């Protein structure tokens, strides 16, 4: 039987969280890096909470969160059927209960439109489809750019939040304005956390959180430094302790 991943060179099985989590990923195409792991580490979820991930791909962020916090009600939405099926398989592989829905976040099925979640998380495409050229692999192109504006991601997420619920998004730092404009209209108590590759370097990523019904003023949090030293000077990991604990031990980030 032909697999949808045959043209992508098959699948690899990769370890996350120091081996606590295993994920099947296409050898060629979109492969999860540290971004979804960091996203999951920032989510302030507790046992019993409900979580919705928009654009869950193969399930990296959703399942990293499920591995860190037990007893969560997990739901993922993914527009690409092959990746949605991959996320279902990865959830089963790790023994984590999660419902994966194949749908466009702009046209969710009726039962999801009737639900409210304690947390909505998203790792939207980092690039604007109006700029640059498309990737050769369609799955990778959708993950990296896609055709859904960031404002639509925020609108879909905020509508699904329960009162006092949190939306947590990771995005490139140069698209911060594209995030803040729609978030400020729908959410409050917004916190921006810059992620800097090294001390003294500009932030390349930001994690932005907003609360449904929050009233606190916007807060720019202290930056999280990802790596030691001014340059990568050795053939080994050089993550700072907090980042290492999140990536390899599944610890939460503040």
């Amino acid at each position: 039987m032909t697999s949808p991943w045959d043209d992508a060179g098959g699948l690899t099985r990769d370890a996350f969280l120091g081996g606590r989590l295993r994920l099947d990923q296409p050898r060629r195409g979109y492969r999860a890096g540290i971004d979804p792991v960091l996203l999951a580490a920032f989510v302030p979820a507790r046992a019993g909470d409900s979580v919705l991930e928009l654009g869950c791909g193969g399930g990296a962020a959703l399942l990293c969160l499920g591995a860190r916090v037990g007893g969560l009600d997990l739901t993922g939405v993914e527009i690409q059927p092959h990746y949605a099926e991959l996320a279902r398989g990865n959830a089963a592989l790790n023994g984590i209960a999660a419902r994966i829905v194949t749908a466009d976040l702009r046209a969710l099925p009726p039962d999801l439109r009737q639900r409210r979640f304690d947390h909505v998380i998203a790792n939207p495409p980092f690039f604007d489809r109006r700029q640059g050229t498309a990737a050769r692999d369609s799955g990778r192109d959708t993950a990296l750019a896609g055709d859904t504006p960031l404002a639509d991601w925020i609108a879909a997420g905020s509508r699904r939040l329960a009162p006092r619920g949190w939306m947590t998004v990771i995005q490139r730092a140069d698209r911060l304005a594209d995030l803040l404009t729609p978030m400020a209209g729908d959410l409050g108590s917004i916190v921006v956390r810059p992620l800097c590759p090294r001390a003294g370097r500009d932030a390349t990523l930001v994690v932005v959180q907003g609360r449904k019904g929050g009233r606190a003023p916007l807060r720019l949090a202290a930056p999280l430094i990802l790596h030691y030293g001014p340059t990568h000077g050795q053939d080994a990991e050089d993550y700072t302790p907090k980042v290492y604990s999140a990536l390899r031990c599944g610890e939460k980030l503040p």
Side-chain angles (χ1 to χ4, degrees):
M1 184 175 181
T2 302
S3 165
W5 302 111
D6 287 346
D7 292 340
L11 299 173
T12 64
R13 181 161 292 177
D14 304 304
F16 287 74
L17 306 182
R20 289 175 54 191
L21 189 72
R22 295 169 296 157
L23 298 178
D24 287 340
Q25 303 191 93
R27 191 177 301 275
R28 295 194 302 271
Y30 174 72
R31 294 173 58 82
I34 69 170
D35 306 332
V37 187
L38 293 174
L39 170 64
F42 274 108
V43 180
R46 298 179 294 180
D49 285 354
S50 56
V51 181
L52 171 67
E53 182 179 9
L54 300 177
C56 68
L62 193 69
L63 297 178
C64 280
L65 180 56
R68 174 168 67 85
V69 183
L72 294 176
D73 177 357
L74 301 173
T75 301
V77 171
E78 173 54 43
I79 192 172
Q80 301 184 85
H82 296 335
Y83 281 89
E85 190 59 34
L86 198 59
R88 294 185 190 103
N90 284 330
L93 176 65
N94 292 278
I96 298 175
R99 179 194 179 198
I100 307 299
V101 178
T102 306
D104 188 325
L105 61 87
R106 295 169 294 186
L108 296 176
D111 63 321
L112 271 188
R113 294 202 302 269
Q114 294 172 6
R115 285 198 63 185
R116 296 293 181 269
F117 294 83
D118 300 304
H119 301 275
V120 174
I121 67 175
N123 180 16
F126 280 178
F127 301 99
D128 190 333
R129 168 47 60 232
R130 295 168 297 181
Q131 302 175 11
T133 58
R136 292 182 180 179
D137 180 89
S138 61
R140 180 176 174 82
D141 182 69
T142 299
L144 295 180
D147 61 357
T148 304
L150 276 179
D152 289 355
W153 287 75
I154 301 306
S158 64
R159 285 195 294 265
R160 300 280 66 77
L161 276 178
R164 309 299 292 170
W166 285 98
M167 185 170 189
T168 305
V169 181
I170 190 168
Q171 184 54 243
R172 280 174 28 136
D174 60 7
R175 300 198 69 190
L176 178 58
D178 296 332
L179 271 182
L180 287 181
T181 300
M183 288 186 86
D186 294 334
L187 305 170
S189 302
I190 294 174
V191 180
V192 179
R193 171 80 69 173
L195 308 184
C196 302
R198 299 184 185 275
R201 301 265 193 100
D202 289 347
T204 53
L205 296 172
V206 289
V207 172
V208 184
Q209 293 175 298
R211 195 167 203 180
K212 189 81 165 185
R215 296 179 179 273
L218 183 145
R219 180 165 67 91
L220 181 61
L224 178 69
I225 309 301
L226 302 182
H227 300 275
Y228 275 123
T231 60
H232 186 68
Q234 56 182 338
D235 188 19
E237 291 183 344
D238 59 356
Y239 294 117
T240 54
K242 287 182 180 179
V243 174
Y244 182 90
S245 295
L247 296 180
R248 299 294 177 252
C249 306
E251 299 293 333
K252 65 179 180 180
L253 286 167

